[in-house]
Amino acid sequence: MLRKVQKLLQQFKILPSVTKMSEVIDIDKLSAKRPAEEKNEDLDVKKQKTEDGTLATNETKKHMKRKVAILMSYSGVGYKGMQFNKGVKTIEEELFKAMTKAEAVTESMAEHLGKMSFQRCARTDKGVSAAGQVVSMKMFLLDDVVDRINQHLPDQIRVMDYKRVINSFDSKNRCDYRTYSYMTPTFAFQPIEQFTTDAFRVKDETIDRVNSLLKYYHGSKNFHNFTSGKKFNDPSAFRYIKDFSCNKPFIQDGLEFSILKVRGQSFMLHQIRKMVGLILAVVRGLAHESVINKAFEEDKLDIPKAPGLGLVLESVHYDHYNEKWGSDGMHEALTWDESKDKVEAFKRDFIYPTIISTEKTENTMMTWLGTLLYHSYANTSLGGKLIKAKKDLQEVHTSMMEEKSDTDSKALEIPTSSADKQNIDTTETMTEETAKNEDNVTDEEERLQVKEKSAR
């Protein structure tokens, strides 16, 4: 601006006065320009800092933060879910600690997730595992960064691979479909009339019936009854299920299992577990098949929630992203074909063995099947009766345990009747007399020994 004024003054031939003024006032200072030397010094300092304002290490100075999609696998047994929750053992807590130690992120980034634009594709619940979880974030692309991160992770959590993505990529919002599996012992299909044992072997007709029941879930439906806190008129209660099927059974460690697979756009909290729970109740004969369709209507139903142990996030799908950006020459398609063998090996070594061993030791499914009797399903008037019946059974059980405890304690008590007391007194007297006699015998023996010594 001052330069323009200077040119105008030259035109009006009054420049000398301005020249004198410039001797008093430094025009460069007025224009807020700094000397070139100061600029270079500040630039050197900025190069030594990361984007979040913290000083970088020598390793991270050589690399820039880049937006990536990370493929993860983990066994969720022993963890309180995927999402970070301070003071609680979660998958993300383990991931952030490992990435910080590997210098893929700074401590400040790990503490403030917004600084690395972190987002998970699916928030798995307590005990739920994942074979193909995807998270998006910014991190430093160090050499061998995947191996460096895995060095600081427990064996049941692995980073499989990463790929560069566009800066606006969000692993949750860009996802088109998610595929989950549910691994269940087949004795969960056993009719209620039969005594449920782990020796049960399912027939092909039962698997066919399960598949026919699962078709009720296909399409866009109102799943307000399959989660908590959702009302019938809430638009977010509508979810689209593309496919739901039950695979042929297989035997592992003496138990027969079957895997149910569901593919949908997105799922609400506990939705899949309640979908499985209702199907098992119908197959076992505790609820009528018509209840499935009633669950999509306005009335609130009592639907059981299957255990989280067998639930696994298999894979997530980015079809639209891959079509637009996967072949642009700068980014890769998020199909993870090169990691499929590693993922299958992880499922074989960690996820399935953990599910099977936990089921065998804790009887998770067998215990849960016993609770199906306490659900009213579509008969809301029956709910209060079932609760009362359960309470009555608990009271009877408590009373029986108390009686048993009293009987056991009485059996251990010492008799206190007058006859018993007389017997006890007599026994004590006899014991005292026997002791006195023994003392007298001992004294007599000592005297004889003394006499023998004096005679010698």
Side-chain angles (χ1 to χ4, degrees):
M1 186 68 181
L2 289 173
R3 300 296 180 189
K4 291 181 179 179
V5 173
Q6 201 171 14
K7 288 181 180 179
L8 290 172
L9 293 174
Q10 284 178 349
Q11 292 176 2
F12 291 103
K13 296 181 181 181
I14 54 174
L15 183 60
S17 61
V18 177
T19 304
K20 290 180 181 179
M21 187 185 299
S22 65
E23 292 175 358
V24 180
I25 302 174
D26 190 348
I27 293 178
D28 284 338
K29 288 183 180 179
L30 289 175
S31 60
K33 289 187 176 181
R34 294 183 296 169
E37 293 179 359
E38 291 183 12
K39 287 183 181 180
N40 292 334
E41 288 177 3
D42 289 347
L43 189 61
D44 291 338
V45 172
K46 286 181 180 179
K47 286 181 179 179
Q48 295 177 20
K49 292 187 177 182
T50 61
E51 291 181 18
D52 62 345
T54 58
L55 287 174
T57 63
N58 291 331
E59 184 75 16
T60 56
K61 283 181 194 177
K62 304 173 186 177
H63 303 84
M64 295 291 290
K65 274 198 305 186
R66 292 288 183 256
K67 191 69 170 289
V68 296
I70 297 176
L71 178 67
M72 291 182 63
S73 299
Y74 53 84
S75 172
V77 175
Y79 288 89
K80 301 293 184 181
M82 170 71 179
Q83 187 173 3
F84 177 79
N85 188 3
K86 194 171 183 180
V88 178
K89 187 180 180 183
T90 63
I91 302 296
E92 286 180 8
E93 180 189 30
E94 298 279 11
L95 176 64
F96 298 153
K97 287 194 297 186
M99 296 187 79
T100 303
K101 291 177 181 177
E103 298 184 347
V105 299
T106 63
E107 290 184 8
S108 177
M109 291 166 65
E111 292 173 0
H112 304 89
L113 304 188
K115 291 183 177 181
M116 56 182 176
S117 304
F118 181 86
Q119 182 58 271
R120 68 199 70 81
C121 180
R123 185 183 62 181
T124 53
D125 300 333
K126 173 186 175 182
V128 177
S129 302
Q133 172 76 281
V134 172
V135 300
S136 56
M137 60 181 297
K138 291 180 180 179
M139 72 173 186
F140 296 105
L141 301 185
L142 312 176
D143 297 333
D144 302 321
V145 67
V146 172
D147 293 335
R148 292 176 64 157
I149 295 171
N150 284 331
Q151 285 177 5
H152 302 287
L153 284 171
D155 292 338
Q156 69 185 91
I157 304 175
R158 293 286 97 176
V159 170
M160 295 298 179
D161 200 1
Y162 78 90
K163 292 184 179 181
R164 286 282 307 280
V165 291
I166 59 175
N167 285 332
S168 61
F169 179 81
D170 183 298
S171 61
K172 178 183 176 182
N173 297 333
R174 290 273 183 175
C175 182
D176 298 309
Y177 293 100
R178 296 161 176 84
T179 298
Y180 281 84
S181 67
Y182 191 89
M183 184 176 177
T184 177
T186 57
F187 62 69
F189 301 136
Q190 195 169 3
I192 191 65
E193 296 83 10
Q194 300 177 12
F195 185 72
T196 305
T197 67
D198 56 14
F200 176 79
R201 297 295 180 260
V202 70
K203 295 180 180 179
D204 291 342
E205 306 89 78
T206 304
I207 297 295
D208 292 340
R209 182 164 185 244
V210 172
N211 278 313
S212 67
L213 293 173
L214 291 173
K215 289 180 180 178
Y216 280 105
Y217 293 130
H218 290 185
S220 181
K221 304 287 177 68
N222 190 321
F223 286 93
H224 75 105
N225 269 312
F226 295 85
T227 186
S228 56
K230 293 282 184 184
K231 294 183 179 179
F232 177 75
N233 56 3
D234 189 339
S236 66
F238 277 88
R239 301 293 160 126
Y240 176 72
I241 305 299
K242 191 170 185 179
D243 184 59
F244 206 164
S245 61
C246 180
N247 295 339
K248 296 292 182 182
F250 62 93
I251 297 176
Q252 186 71 36
D253 295 346
L255 275 177
E256 186 179 64
F257 290 88
S258 183
I259 295 178
L260 291 77
K261 280 195 174 181
V262 57
R263 186 180 184 184
Q265 282 185 334
S266 59
F267 299 93
M268 295 178 289
L269 181 67
H270 301 151
Q271 180 183 339
I272 298 174
R273 293 168 62 184
K274 281 181 172 280
M275 292 164 73
V276 172
L278 182 55
I279 294 298
L280 294 181
V282 172
V283 173
R284 286 177 65 81
L286 290 163
H288 194 269
E289 185 174 334
S290 61
V291 175
I292 303 175
N293 270 333
K294 287 182 180 178
F296 304 128
E297 298 174 0
E298 187 171 0
D299 291 340
K300 199 68 179 174
L301 306 187
D302 178 19
I303 296 177
K305 179 177 63 179
L309 177 64
L311 188 59
V312 179
L313 174 62
E314 289 284 341
S315 57
V316 293
H317 313 272
Y318 297 96
D319 299 343
H320 286 91
Y321 175 85
N322 292 338
E323 184 180 347
K324 186 173 183 179
W325 303 100
S327 57
D328 65 350
M330 296 177 62
H331 306 91
E332 299 177 77
L334 302 179
T335 54
W336 313 105
D337 293 333
E338 60 279 6
S339 300
K340 283 184 178 179
D341 292 340
K342 289 193 294 183
V343 171
E344 288 299 320
F346 185 87
K347 287 162 61 176
R348 212 168 39 243
D349 296 339
F350 291 96
I351 295 179
Y352 292 153
T354 303
I355 293 174
I356 294 169
S357 63
T358 305
E359 177 60 44
K360 292 185 73 173
T361 55
E362 299 181 9
N363 295 317
T364 307
M365 179 57 74
M366 188 71 77
T367 303
W368 176 80
L369 290 174
T371 67
L372 291 178
L373 292 166
Y374 302 130
H375 291 274
S376 60
Y377 305 97
N379 191 349
T380 54
S381 62
L382 189 61
K385 295 179 182 179
L386 286 171
I387 293 171
K388 185 178 183 302
K390 183 179 179 181
K391 187 181 291 185
D392 292 342
L393 282 172
Q394 287 176 341
E395 290 177 356
V396 170
H397 176 73
T398 303
S399 177
M400 289 175 65
M401 292 300 294
E402 289 176 352
E403 290 179 4
K404 184 177 182 301
S405 177
D406 292 341
T407 304
D408 292 342
S409 62
K410 286 178 181 179
L412 294 173
E413 288 179 359
I414 299 174
T416 57
S417 64
S418 57
D420 291 333
K421 285 182 179 179
Q422 185 177 354
N423 291 335
I424 292 170
D425 293 340
T426 304
T427 304
E428 290 177 350
T429 304
M430 291 176 64
T431 304
E432 290 176 359
E433 290 178 354
T434 304
K436 287 179 180 179
N437 292 335
E438 289 177 352
D439 291 340
N440 293 333
V441 171
T442 303
D443 293 340
E444 186 64 28
E445 288 178 351
E446 288 179 354
R447 290 194 198 97
L448 289 173
Q449 289 176 359
V450 169
K451 286 182 178 180
E452 288 177 0
K453 286 181 181 179
S454 60
R456 287 174 187 172

